[in-house]
Amino acid sequence: MTAAAEKAPPDGTREEVGRARRRKEDARLITGRTQWTDNIQLPGTLHVAFLRSPLAHARIQQVDTAPARGLPGVVAVYSGADFAAEQGSLPCAWPVSDDLVVPDHPPMAVNEVRYVGEAVACVVATDRYKAADALAAIEVDYEPLPAVLDMNEALADGADKVHEAGNKAFTWTFAGGDIDAAFRDAPVVIHRTYVQQRLIPSAMEPRAVVATTDGDTCTLYSATQIPHVLRVMLALTTGIPEHRLRVIAPDVGGGFGSKLQVTAEEVLLLLMTRRLGRPVKWTESRSEGNLTVHHGRDQIQRVKLAADRDGRVRGLSVDLLADMGAYLMLVTPGVPLLGAFMYNGIYKMDAYDFRCTGVFTTKMPTDAYRGAGRPEATYAIERVMDELAAELGIDPIDVRRRNWIAHEEFPYTTIAGLTYDSGHYEAATDRATALFGYADLRAEQARRRQSRDPVQLGIGVSTYTEMCGLAPSRILGSLRYGAGGWEHAEVRMLPTGKVEVVTGSSAHGQGHETAWSQIVADSLGVPFEDVSVLHGDTAVAPKGMDTYGSRSLTIGGMAVLRACEKVKDKARHIAAHLLEASAEDVEYTGGSVRVRGTGAGRTIQENALAVFTAHDLPDGVEPRLDAQATFDPENFSFPHGTHLCAVEVDTETGMSRIRSYVAVDDVGKVVNPLIVEGQVHGGLAQGIGQALFEEAVHDADGNLLTTTLADYLVPSAADLPDFITDRTETPAVSNPLGVKGVGEAGTIASTPAVVNAIVDALRPYGVNDVRMPCSPERVWRALNGGAS
Amino acid sequence: MIPPAFDYVRPASLGQACRALAEAGEDAKVLSGGQSLIPLLRLRLSYPTVLVDIGRLPEPRAIRDEDDHVFIGATATLDEVVRSAVVNAEVPLVALAARTVADPAVRHRGTFGGSLAHADPAGDLPAVALALDCEFVIASARGERTVPAAGFFQDYLETALAPDEILVGVKVPKLGPGWGFHYEKFHRTAQAWAIVGVAAAVRRADGGVAAARVALTNMGATPLRATAVEAALRGVPADADAVAGACAGADAGTSPPADLHARPDYRRHLARVLTRRAVLAAARARP
Ligand SMILES: Cc1cc2nc3c(=O)[nH]c(=O)nc-3n(C[C@H](O)[C@H](O)[C@H](O)COP(=O)(O)OP(=O)(O)OC[C@H]3O[C@@H](n4cnc5c(N)ncnc54)[C@H](O)[C@@H]3O)c2cc1C
């Protein structure tokens, strides 16, 4: 039975799904009355500070920890050599290809450092101040080696090497259709190179780790998105038996992919607590985080599009360089490949050809950052569609309309081999252009161009889709991803009739407790307030695949719904026995089990107590009204939407100001519109951040220059317009809830919308690209004929 | 991050503070609102041995209307300056610029004196003090003295203050009737420092510019007075073309820094554009 079919409880109570419920968890999160990892105070805790490499590439000749040993409060000082025998290598769980080079990645460097910030030693002290002070006493002799910073140079013959095996990590290709035929005699061919600058995920809560042991079991508290995956990986890396390792993700303050990782610090703190027999704790500073949280994006995209004169796209060819950084972390090489299936966007075409080369450099490794591969792909296709429109003198929305998959054509298998289950690009675009006032803004743009207004108006469009809800385990397997794509849930009616939900999704700000409660309330017919949700602790929620890739609702929410259905089946079975009716005659509605046609029945709460006492259960039925379920989807889900952005560009100073922004998203069925709205706003802020503000910058020696928030600019509310958001609702058919996922949509859509708008404003000046972030200086240089 | 260890004293009066500084010697630092000093300590860019906290002293906090000038106590917070009726009525340029500093949280802690004593060339208030020819009242165990703005800002983060001296307050001259004011700040995010800023005061008479005072933020190691522009503006009509012509040399004599947000040639260009805008706004003329 689907959720839709069992809506509208007969007692007249309002449905929960679809309601803009305020989030249950917010009171405790916002007031700080919760357990962030850094708040955890275990008796006898020692504090860890890391000494980090000041060089991008060097051989470690000697680390002398002795001078730090005797300092006040110092309990232990370690270098990489001290851990060499047991620290293992940080895992890469996505060996994308046969030719992949997976370099050894010791959590603490032993012989060589390959990026600024790599840990080379650490101090364990009685407080964090003493630990930090003692770092200065450790002496490290480095023999500098050449930094390798530029991907093109890294691939050149005779280039300095990051690793013995060379600088190429892998090559991965995909081909659909006959690309040569598509380009042969194509009347229009557009070549562009786009640079996806390196970004630093800036979660509000920095990373923090507490590790403790009772001599038998180790417990790791970490600000992580992935307690379940982490437990498996840490067991494999450190050799601590999995059944003696418990991982707890307390409330976690944001991740955006940066906490989808098995970090050096997590491994090292486990080893330290095991050695010292005392709890140890580490919380990074923002600057330490900017250096050592895995970075995102950092790709060079060479894009070639072939089209007919009427704007019909014939083929697309993408040659991608992806900066891995110095090592491969959990899913580093897979990130660009998540984009591989999305470069064709929402468009039909005859052929598509993709090639990605992963490149090692002496920088912090890259890995998943909100959207992971899909923002990059969407950027490239949406930028180049605008270039096509400009080349042909066609309105950019028209050019898209001529190429997109019409709503009657779903399900549609794309040239990249994915089957989009549903979508309605026409509806979203019509809604967006109406809200935006597209025609009026185009008229204003024409006036400003005519009058040579120093402030020009640009209009940017982005009609995106993305694949999310990761993912069918079978497909992940075929892509060599190291984990499954299922999710697990347990729903327990407690003897008093309240409900506990255990979920394998690991919320770190998404509002799962609220959304899951809404699903359960409707399914079981119990009050929203009577549901509580447990997550994030491998001893409490032992099965799970965690939260990333906009997968929680589509997979984890579905598992919850399935578990509810099992609970109801059990309730019906028991009620039939107690009411002396046949199970087929018993129906479950509005929180009660009743015999059809008669008034006889009982509430599920009464039922829960009867099952608990077990005084009169049918044969073969076990006590407790609870059930577990796992959901593994048959397909990805494909949210889509149309975003429109109007930017005013001051051509004298180069400053771009977003004047209005309309986001019409189709995320399928909406469980909680308030949560969806919040995800869209946050996503837009991060996507706009990439377009206008954010960039990790290194100097010629490989030093990161953007180590503080004064240099790495992250937009705040004051830098963003009032977003106009709306939705169309085309339910996903790949899951019975009809949901698609919304966590990454805003980030994926917004970056090209903003840059398209800036370029649109500047086109009369002969500008057809501005490199991101489109800082005022870059815009000014582009206007003045220089390279941006 | 974690600052290196230091001693901390919180004197009860200005006199005690002066004595504490004198005793502590060269490596002591005054701590006021802490919005610049604490970040420097945490990044381990500064290693004072003693901090003398004057942030809670009641004494130099007042803002007073004193005949031909307004006295702003050094420990008045930037928020108090922004909200002060006297400042807004008599020396509005100070309020206009202070309003652009950082965000409300920083302005509630950061002090007027600290913003000037810190002498960050990217700070917004030093250029204002220079444009208005403020006088800096300075105290130490050795006595009190007054330094004009032109002599106060000496180099990057360096002022006329000796290690044992405390800035007590600033006398901001009232320019009298007929003056208009504007602070033009160019920055990338709302919280960010100025890439370039321009403080302008313009007196109009007979449809033209009778006198102008212009100073630049972040165009060199110290705030800079755009004297060439001031001279060129004298007597020109207050219209866009004439003002633009007079501001064409706004970057003359500057040595703008290169950083992540702007290279020098771009800063020079900005100085010219922003000076024109600031002057026109101060003159209440159409751009
Ligand atoms: C997030 C953020 C954003 C910011 N943005 C801006 C901005 O946009 N524009 C801007 O102008 N500033 C900005 N600032 C800086 C800030 O406004 C001032 O520099 C700061 O408030 C200085 O005042 P304070 O009282 O905090 O000084 P403190 O930090 O306490 O001291 C700064 C320095 O001045 C010295 N000092 C302070 N008071 C005295 C005194 N009375 N006598 C002698 N020496 C003294 C100290 O010894 C120290 O060297 C920002 C700061 C932050 C944290």
Side-chain angles (χ1 to χ4, degrees):
Chain A
M1 192 195 299
T2 66
E6 60 188 21
K7 282 235 169 120
D11 54 5
T13 53
R14 249 178 94 184
E15 288 166 35
E16 284 294 340
V17 169
R19 222 173 141 178
R21 275 279 188 190
R22 292 229 182 138
R23 305 198 320 176
K24 284 185 169 184
E25 46 273 77
D26 279 354
R28 85 169 186 271
L29 296 180
I30 292 170
T31 59
R33 270 183 301 183
T34 185
Q35 226 188 19
W36 306 111
T37 300
D38 189 52
N39 293 348
I40 294 169
Q41 314 271 10
L42 302 176
T45 296
L46 298 172
H47 297 260
V48 180
F50 288 96
L51 185 70
R52 297 184 178 279
S53 170
L55 299 175
H57 197 190
R59 198 159 289 126
I60 299 173
Q61 288 178 320
Q62 198 199 325
V63 183
D64 187 0
T65 54
R69 285 235 167 81
L71 294 176
V74 171
V75 175
V77 187
Y78 301 115
S79 69
D82 296 311
F83 295 118
E86 51 179 342
Q87 66 177 347
S89 180
L90 292 175
C92 170
W94 199 342
V96 292
S97 67
D98 287 334
D99 71 347
L100 183 72
V101 174
V102 185
D104 191 41
H105 187 187
M108 186 172 279
V110 182
N111 300 313
E112 199 167 321
V113 285
R114 295 187 179 84
Y115 63 90
V116 172
E118 194 168 353
V120 290
C122 68
V123 173
V124 187
T126 48
D127 67 47
R128 56 185 309 209
Y129 306 96
K130 297 196 175 90
D133 286 343
L135 289 180
I138 301 173
E139 285 164 17
V140 186
D141 291 340
Y142 295 102
E143 178 196 337
L145 295 170
V148 180
L149 302 171
D150 179 277
M151 283 194 275
N152 284 306
E153 286 171 18
L155 292 176
D157 287 341
D160 295 316
K161 285 183 184 177
V162 180
H163 297 282
E164 254 326 290
N167 298 334
K168 198 179 87 167
F170 68 93
T171 310
W172 193 94
T173 58
F174 177 90
D178 184 344
I179 197 74
D180 294 332
F183 276 87
R184 196 177 306 130
D185 308 324
V188 185
V189 175
I190 294 176
H191 292 256
R192 290 287 186 274
T193 299
Y194 296 122
V195 177
Q196 297 287 329
Q197 78 271 32
R198 185 173 269 254
L199 299 179
I200 303 177
S202 303
M204 199 171 295
E205 184 203 18
R207 289 181 303 150
V209 182
V210 174
T212 184
T213 181
D214 58 10
D216 183 38
T217 299
C218 289
T219 302
L220 184 88
Y221 301 82
S222 182
T224 179
Q225 297 173 223
I226 52 161
H228 300 93
V229 173
L230 188 58
R231 183 192 191 203
V232 178
M233 291 296 170
L234 287 173
L236 293 172
T237 307
T238 63
I240 296 175
E242 193 179 348
H243 62 297
R244 301 231 196 104
L245 179 60
R246 175 178 175 190
V247 175
I248 301 175
D251 275 326
V252 175
F256 314 113
S258 71
K259 294 170 182 169
L260 163 56
Q261 194 53 272
V262 178
T263 66
E265 294 82 2
E266 287 163 335
V267 171
L268 294 170
L269 264 78
L270 267 181
L271 301 183
M272 285 185 243
T273 194
R274 221 167 44 160
R275 278 195 189 188
L276 298 166
R278 290 175 67 176
V280 288
K281 181 180 194 172
W282 166 78
T283 302
E284 74 186 357
S285 70
R286 182 62 61 181
S287 299
E288 196 177 19
N290 277 17
L291 284 170
T292 62
V293 160
H294 71 238
H295 292 172
R297 316 277 191 262
D298 207 345
Q299 301 176 359
I300 299 173
Q301 308 168 299
R302 292 189 203 110
V303 186
K304 216 163 71 169
L305 180 101
D308 289 328
R309 279 259 145 239
D310 62 359
R312 195 189 71 86
V313 175
R314 297 161 59 125
L316 177 71
S317 171
V318 177
D319 187 358
L320 187 66
L321 296 184
D323 193 337
M324 307 283 97
Y327 303 97
L328 303 181
M329 296 193 74
L330 195 59
V331 298
T332 301
V335 168
L337 309 188
L338 279 173
F341 303 96
M342 294 271 81
Y343 274 89
N344 51 303
I346 63 171
Y347 311 112
K348 297 178 280 191
M349 56 187 74
D350 306 331
Y352 165 58
D353 180 83
F354 173 88
R355 175 189 183 83
C356 173
T357 309
V359 185
F360 290 115
T361 60
T362 53
K363 296 183 198 167
M364 180 67 206
T366 56
D367 207 313
Y369 173 52
R370 203 170 190 171
R374 291 152 290 158
E376 298 93 311
T378 304
Y379 182 85
I381 183 67
E382 289 303 296
R383 282 286 296 111
V384 85
M385 289 303 278
D386 262 34
E387 296 302 305
L388 176 62
E391 172 78 22
L392 298 173
I394 308 176
D395 180 277
I397 293 180
D398 281 345
V399 106
R400 287 169 168 79
R401 208 180 283 279
R402 289 176 199 188
N403 286 287
W404 70 39
I405 302 157
H407 70 273
E408 308 87 4
E409 296 177 271
F410 289 93
Y412 183 90
T413 299
T414 71
I415 193 71
L418 294 176
T419 300
Y420 294 177
D421 61 341
S422 71
H424 203 311
Y425 308 140
E426 301 91 329
T429 303
D430 290 347
R431 185 85 195 109
T433 48
L435 286 169
F436 190 62
Y438 188 76
D440 289 348
L441 284 165
R442 282 281 179 218
E444 180 183 335
Q445 176 181 52
R447 284 198 300 279
R448 288 189 189 229
R449 283 183 177 172
Q450 183 86 43
S451 68
R452 298 180 183 279
D453 193 325
V455 179
Q456 288 287 316
L457 184 68
I459 295 168
V461 59
S462 163
T463 48
Y464 78 98
T465 190
E466 58 136 335
M467 56 191 271
C468 69
L470 299 179
S473 297
R474 270 191 223 104
I475 297 186
L476 291 179
S478 74
L479 294 172
R480 308 184 184 210
Y481 186 67
W486 49 266
E487 194 46 270
H488 180 266
E490 179 177 354
V491 172
R492 310 199 276 244
M493 292 289 306
L494 302 177
T496 56
K498 308 297 182 195
V499 184
E500 253 172 15
V501 178
V502 179
T503 174
S505 303
S506 194
H508 43 284
Q510 290 86 350
H512 293 167
E513 291 171 36
T514 303
W516 282 202
S517 296
Q518 290 178 276
I519 292 171
V520 171
D522 275 4
S523 178
L524 295 184
V526 298
F528 172 78
E529 294 76 13
D530 283 3
V531 186
S532 77
V533 178
L534 310 176
H535 60 85
D537 178 344
T538 58
V540 173
K543 299 184 202 169
M545 276 295 175
D546 306 318
T547 286
Y548 53 88
S550 305
R551 68 189 305 274
S552 289
L553 181 59
T554 45
I555 322 292
M558 267 307 304
V560 169
L561 184 69
R562 284 279 156 84
C564 287
E565 283 161 5
K566 287 190 181 173
V567 165
K568 289 194 293 189
D569 281 345
K570 187 166 183 180
R572 260 194 301 269
H573 189 58
I574 292 160
H577 170 79
L578 296 173
L579 299 167
E580 296 177 343
S582 81
E584 299 83 73
D585 290 339
V586 174
E587 59 180 3
Y588 190 116
T589 50
S592 297
V593 257
R594 317 204 156 271
V595 183
R596 235 181 294 264
T598 78
R602 44 205 302 159
T603 65
I604 182 154
Q605 288 85 357
E606 289 165 343
N607 233 352
L609 189 60
V611 183
F612 171 66
T613 59
H615 294 164
D616 184 12
L617 289 184
D619 289 342
V621 171
E622 294 176 4
R624 300 300 292 260
L625 192 45
D626 50 24
Q628 301 192 22
T630 298
F631 184 73
D632 198 334
E634 278 162 19
N635 193 358
F636 296 92
S637 59
F638 300 95
H640 71 82
T642 298
H643 287 210
L644 285 163
C645 177
V647 172
E648 287 181 358
V649 181
D650 182 336
T651 57
E652 282 191 300
T653 62
M655 178 65 89
S656 304
R657 194 181 66 84
I658 298 180
R659 186 163 101 183
S660 60
Y661 195 104
V662 169
V664 175
D665 294 289
D666 194 321
V667 297
K669 282 279 179 199
V670 169
V671 172
N672 184 324
L674 208 57
I675 291 179
V676 167
E677 182 92 357
Q679 288 289 337
V680 170
H681 278 233
L684 293 177
Q686 273 172 319
I688 292 170
Q690 175 170 15
L692 294 180
F693 303 114
E694 300 185 32
E695 180 171 31
V697 183
H698 294 82
D699 70 11
D701 297 323
N703 294 302
L704 183 70
L705 299 177
T706 48
T707 54
T708 74
L709 290 171
D711 303 310
Y712 188 85
L713 298 182
V714 175
S716 68
D719 302 301
L720 300 166
D722 284 335
F723 300 124
I724 299 168
T725 60
D726 200 0
R727 288 189 304 276
T728 55
E729 195 169 298
T730 316
V733 296
S734 51
N735 67 71
L737 277 171
V739 297
K740 298 181 185 171
V742 68
E744 295 156 298
T747 306
I748 291 168
S750 56
T751 310
V754 174
V755 179
N756 277 341
I758 292 171
V759 173
D760 184 52
L762 303 182
R763 252 188 231 288
Y765 300 78
V767 173
N768 69 17
D769 194 29
V770 180
R771 208 178 130 168
M772 295 190 291
C774 302
S775 67
E777 179 172 19
R778 285 208 173 120
V779 170
W780 178 75
R781 288 196 194 280
L783 275 166
N784 289 281
S788 68
Chain B
M1 286 182 101
I2 292 178
F6 52 81
D7 288 331
Y8 173 85
V9 286
R10 194 200 295 164
S13 69
L14 188 60
Q16 274 187 25
C18 290
R19 279 193 296 282
L21 264 186
E23 277 163 29
E26 290 267 310
D27 293 330
K29 273 240 167 243
V30 173
L31 175 68
S32 189
Q35 297 304 292
S36 290
L37 185 53
I38 303 261
L40 287 179
L41 296 179
R42 289 170 65 96
L43 293 168
R44 297 197 171 216
L45 295 171
S46 175
Y47 290 81
T49 49
V50 183
L51 291 189
V52 178
D53 185 354
I54 62 164
R56 294 184 218 187
L57 286 184
E59 215 172 319
R61 186 156 181 168
I63 298 173
R64 289 190 301 266
D65 190 345
E66 297 181 338
D67 303 332
D68 63 342
H69 65 264
V70 174
F71 177 85
I72 303 178
T75 57
T77 66
L78 294 171
D79 184 67
E80 286 161 358
V81 170
V82 169
R83 289 167 196 276
S84 157
V86 176
V87 170
N88 280 285
E90 300 293 343
V91 288
L93 185 56
V94 174
L96 290 172
R99 192 170 285 141
T100 72
V101 173
D103 53 42
V106 170
R107 292 198 295 270
H108 272 83
R109 285 198 172 270
T111 65
F112 188 68
S115 294
L116 296 167
H118 187 52
D120 186 338
D124 298 297
L125 293 170
V128 170
L130 193 63
L132 296 178
D133 285 321
C134 291
E135 302 224 315
F136 289 67
V137 182
I138 294 170
S140 71
R142 295 174 283 135
E144 201 174 281
R145 64 181 181 125
T146 302
V147 175
F152 185 77
F153 301 104
Q154 299 193 335
D155 205 342
Y156 183 73
L157 305 185
E158 274 180 33
T159 67
L161 289 166
D164 67 339
E165 286 184 316
I166 294 176
L167 178 62
V168 178
V170 174
K171 293 179 179 170
V172 188
K174 302 176 184 173
L175 294 185
W179 285 84
F181 303 93
H182 187 76
Y183 185 70
E184 183 79 19
K185 177 171 180 172
F186 190 79
H187 52 154
R188 284 180 64 189
T189 58
Q191 275 202 351
W193 274 260
I195 293 174
V196 174
V198 182
V202 174
R203 185 160 65 83
R204 282 186 66 168
D206 309 325
V209 175
R213 293 160 165 269
V214 179
L216 306 174
T217 297
N218 216 8
M219 286 296 289
T222 63
L224 295 171
R225 193 79 178 254
T227 42
V229 171
E230 293 178 358
L233 279 168
R234 212 164 294 134
V236 305
D239 65 47
D241 285 345
V243 169
C247 294
D251 62 314
T254 65
S255 45
D259 59 27
L260 289 175
H261 307 305
R263 277 171 275 167
D265 60 332
Y266 177 54
R267 277 205 162 85
R268 287 180 180 278
H269 166 77
L270 284 177
R272 297 190 288 265
V273 173
L274 302 176
T275 300
R276 185 194 79 219
R277 290 182 182 179
V279 168
L280 286 172
R284 306 282 174 270
R286 288 175 57 83

